[in-house]
Amino acid sequence: MPMPTQMLVQDTMEEPASKVMKKVDISDVDMEKGSIIIEGKTKIVYELPKAPGKCLVLSKDSITAYNGVMKNTLEGKSSISTKTTCATFSILENAGIKTSLIQKVDDKSFLAHRCGMIPIEWVTRRVATGSFLRRNEGVKEGYRFNPPKLEIFYKDDAKDDPQWSREMLEESKLKCGNLVITADEIDKMEKMTVAIFEILERCWQTKNVSLIDMKIEFGVCSDTNEIILADVIDNDSWRIWQNGDKRLMMDKQVYRNLRGTEITDVEMQNLKQNFTWVADTCHQMAEEFRNSLEISKGQVVVLMGSASDKSHCEKIRNTCDKLAVKCILRVTSAHKGTEETLKILSKLEGESLHIPTVIIAVAGRSNGLGPVMAGNSCLPVINCPPVSAQWATSDIWSSLRLPSGLGCATIIDPEMAAQAAAQILAQHDVVVWSKLRVQLFSNWLKLKKADMEMRREMQQE
Ligand SMILES: Nc1ncnc2c1ncn2[C@@H]1O[C@H](COP(=O)(O)OP(=O)(O)OP(=O)(O)O)[C@@H](O)[C@H]1O
Ligand SMILES: [Mg+2]
């Protein structure tokens, strides 16, 4: 009997993970291995009797394809895979996506939240290739999906993981952990899948590698009953092409392409080299991501006309903080200290050669500050005037009515001004972009939760 879903609704739609990956001291976790929860082709998942709700995911040195039709031992693959998954999951955690990863334990294993796995492979595609072409006659290889194309495959080895429609998934009312998968959970997984793809796609792009497609799995966390990204994302999970060139593929497809041939040692070595490069690059991307949370590439410089505007400016800074953007506060008045204001501007212009910069001008009454900045530099300027109750309309007009040739924007709400600045910086900053991308998902999730709550109230009336 499926569980009544209304009872579980609240627990399943949680906010995304916090800013920095939670640190669990694994010396506090008793890692004594219990029985095997499940063993698959590439991993063994162990129960940890002294750490309920957690499990150990141990990788194997095996590489398989076509549902086990191809199977080889690739010495070192377990540590390569573990390194890749820990890196990709840590990027996503730091972006704000909840994953099953708690912490890497050793070369071959990581501590994870134990999940009731949802037996679906969520495939996202940016570029048409592989099985998609066989299933969609007439579509040429290289067709670009905007937004990324989502496909669902039901995990059933005996039937070769058949493709399912969304409707089939909805109607099957799968029970995973303590949760029945309904349309709401499917919506959430769809949204999360695309967000995850787009974040990793941007990360790879910083290395001039195209993420072509990707397969992921979700699980119901046994502790919280919420849906989180689970299983792994390693080099078996995607297609990645250096330079967007299929001939420079770095993923497991190289192995699949050897089907039906006698695989030589040289080919296995080549494969290992590719997998190692991917693991190392993912590790580097994860380090860069983490570092960028502490010291962002770009900056928002808030110039306030008077120190009395500080509390308004702090709101800008708080939002910048949440979006991993460095925010500097300065006091300067274009009316009363013009020379000083222009000196600050020259310094920012000089710095912007290396530090992408957005200026936010906070000036009450008559806003000369923002327009002077905009009229004397190429930096983006956003006016964020603190409006007085009595003179609100006039105050705002002083930011809006500009001399010709000036392009500064005006955003009244300080949080939104920070958001707009972050969106400008995000064009060249994968970390800020990822934070914004997860924020989009969170906004959607909040509405979804509110609607679910409303439906529940209506049912109870
Ligand atoms: N955190 C977790 N909690 C519980 N089970 C998990 C967790 N992470 C992964 N698993 C499950 O571990 C199993 C073993 O993984 P493995 O990838 O080796 O299986 P597989 O042989 O590839 O088969 P499959 O086609 O199911 O992936 C999978 O069924 C996976 O869903
Ligand atoms: Mg698997």
Side-chain angles (χ1 to χ4, degrees):
M1 265 292 282
M3 253 180 133
T5 47
Q6 297 123 320
M7 285 170 54
L8 299 159
V9 152
Q10 266 176 327
D11 297 327
T12 62
M13 295 282 175
E14 290 292 318
E15 304 297 318
S18 58
K19 186 174 162 188
V20 178
M21 207 176 112
K22 54 197 168 288
K23 285 261 176 289
V24 172
D25 187 354
I26 55 167
S27 56
D28 291 343
V29 180
D30 192 329
M31 303 289 281
E32 186 194 310
K33 269 192 268 183
S35 51
I36 290 177
I37 298 169
I38 185 160
E39 174 165 6
K41 296 184 281 286
T42 57
K43 271 159 275 150
I44 307 173
V45 181
Y46 287 98
E47 201 178 29
L48 298 173
K50 305 255 174 69
K54 299 185 175 65
C55 62
L56 191 77
V57 181
L58 176 75
S59 265
K60 300 198 236 176
D61 273 348
S62 59
I63 182 162
T64 71
Y66 302 107
N67 220 344
V69 172
M70 290 178 79
K71 188 173 188 334
N72 284 82
T73 299
L74 185 63
E75 200 224 315
K77 176 155 183 289
S78 51
S79 52
I80 294 168
S81 286
T82 303
K83 190 174 182 179
T84 310
T85 293
C86 290
T88 50
F89 277 27
S90 122
I91 289 172
L92 294 165
E93 280 280 346
N94 282 329
I97 298 275
K98 287 188 182 177
T99 77
S100 62
L101 173 71
I102 299 173
Q103 206 177 317
K104 192 173 178 190
V105 172
D106 55 32
D107 258 15
K108 299 179 178 182
S109 61
F110 66 90
L111 182 67
H113 293 289
R114 184 173 177 173
C115 293
M117 294 301 292
I118 301 167
I120 295 291
E121 286 187 355
W122 296 84
V123 174
T124 331
R125 302 176 183 275
R126 177 67 80 187
V127 177
T129 188
S131 75
F132 185 89
L133 302 177
R134 289 191 289 281
R135 287 179 286 109
N136 295 270
E137 222 175 280
V139 180
K140 289 190 189 62
E141 182 160 61
Y143 180 97
R144 288 187 71 82
F145 302 105
N146 296 303
K149 182 88 176 164
L150 250 186
E151 292 181 319
I152 303 170
F153 295 88
Y154 179 61
K155 287 180 60 136
D156 182 351
D157 280 352
K159 290 188 179 153
D160 248 353
D161 299 348
Q163 185 174 12
W164 270 17
S165 64
R166 188 196 146 103
E167 293 72 25
M168 287 166 80
L169 178 54
E170 221 176 289
E171 292 289 283
S172 70
K173 298 188 172 53
L174 295 175
K175 184 170 182 249
C176 309
N178 283 325
L179 186 68
V180 177
I181 305 302
T182 69
D184 292 315
E185 283 73 33
I186 299 170
D187 287 342
K188 179 180 175 183
M189 287 186 276
E190 283 181 351
K191 294 275 180 202
M192 262 178 100
T193 302
V194 178
I196 289 165
F197 181 89
E198 289 182 353
I199 290 168
L200 294 177
E201 180 184 42
R202 294 254 163 180
C203 288
W204 271 119
Q205 204 51 51
T206 66
K207 306 291 170 198
N208 198 23
V209 173
S210 299
L211 180 60
I212 303 299
D213 49 35
M214 183 190 75
K215 140 195 123 172
I216 57 173
E217 290 176 31
F218 292 96
V220 178
C221 182
S222 63
D223 277 339
T224 61
N225 212 33
E226 69 181 306
I227 292 175
I228 59 174
L229 173 67
D231 196 52
V232 297
I233 299 184
D234 61 15
N235 204 27
D236 297 3
S237 310
W238 52 35
R239 283 189 178 87
I240 45 173
W241 298 350
Q242 283 183 326
N243 248 333
D245 184 339
K246 188 182 177 186
R247 292 166 301 179
L248 303 178
M249 61 175 74
M250 296 302 285
D251 55 88
K252 197 173 84 169
Q253 189 61 34
V254 174
Y255 175 70
R256 289 192 201 100
N257 291 348
L258 298 172
R259 187 180 191 177
T261 68
E262 195 69 45
I263 302 179
T264 64
D265 285 351
V266 174
E267 281 163 337
M268 287 308 278
Q269 273 313 311
N270 174 41
L271 210 56
K272 188 174 173 181
Q273 245 175 29
N274 285 3
F275 273 63
T276 305
W277 180 85
V278 171
D280 291 345
T281 310
C282 285
H283 183 74
Q284 194 188 10
M285 293 192 305
E287 292 271 289
E288 287 166 3
F289 202 102
R290 198 169 14 247
N291 291 340
S292 197
L293 286 176
E294 306 301 329
I295 308 157
S296 70
K297 287 196 188 77
Q299 61 181 4
V300 167
V301 180
V302 181
L303 301 175
M304 62 190 103
S306 155
S308 62
D309 298 328
K310 191 170 173 229
S311 64
H312 183 80
C313 298
E314 288 291 359
K315 290 179 191 156
I316 299 176
R317 191 152 73 144
N318 287 344
T319 302
C320 283
D321 258 9
K322 286 183 197 145
L323 296 170
V325 173
K326 181 176 160 191
C327 179
I328 296 162
L329 307 186
R330 298 287 302 265
V331 181
T332 191
S333 162
H335 288 131
K336 298 186 214 167
T338 316
E339 207 181 325
E340 196 61 27
T341 302
L342 290 174
K343 264 194 215 163
I344 293 175
L345 181 60
S346 300
K347 187 154 181 292
L348 294 178
E349 281 275 17
E351 279 177 8
S352 72
L353 191 62
H354 305 291
I355 310 170
T357 301
V358 177
I359 294 172
I360 299 183
V362 174
R365 303 185 186 212
S366 161
N367 176 20
L369 190 56
V372 164
M373 289 286 167
N376 290 278
S377 90
C378 298
L379 292 171
V381 178
I382 299 168
N383 299 310
C384 184
V387 289
S388 60
Q390 193 186 351
W391 294 98
T393 318
S394 317
D395 289 354
I396 293 166
W397 270 111
S398 87
S399 289
L400 296 180
R401 185 81 180 128
L402 301 171
S404 61
L406 261 68
C408 51
T410 298
I411 298 175
I412 296 160
D413 184 286
E415 279 96 10
M416 291 181 205
Q419 168 100 13
Q423 285 182 212
I424 295 170
L425 294 171
Q427 301 307 306
H428 300 285
D429 187 328
V430 67
V431 176
V432 179
W433 192 92
S434 302
K435 288 281 182 189
L436 288 167
R437 185 65 186 81
V438 173
Q439 197 185 60
L440 280 187
F441 171 65
S442 316
N443 290 343
W444 173 86
L445 196 57
K446 269 188 209 140
L447 276 171
K448 179 64 139 181
K449 280 169 70 175
D451 182 48
M452 287 165 81
E453 185 58 37
M454 193 64 75
R455 275 184 272 150
R456 192 161 53 161
E457 278 175 28
M458 294 280 123
Q459 263 181 4
Q460 282 165 357
E461 265 179 20

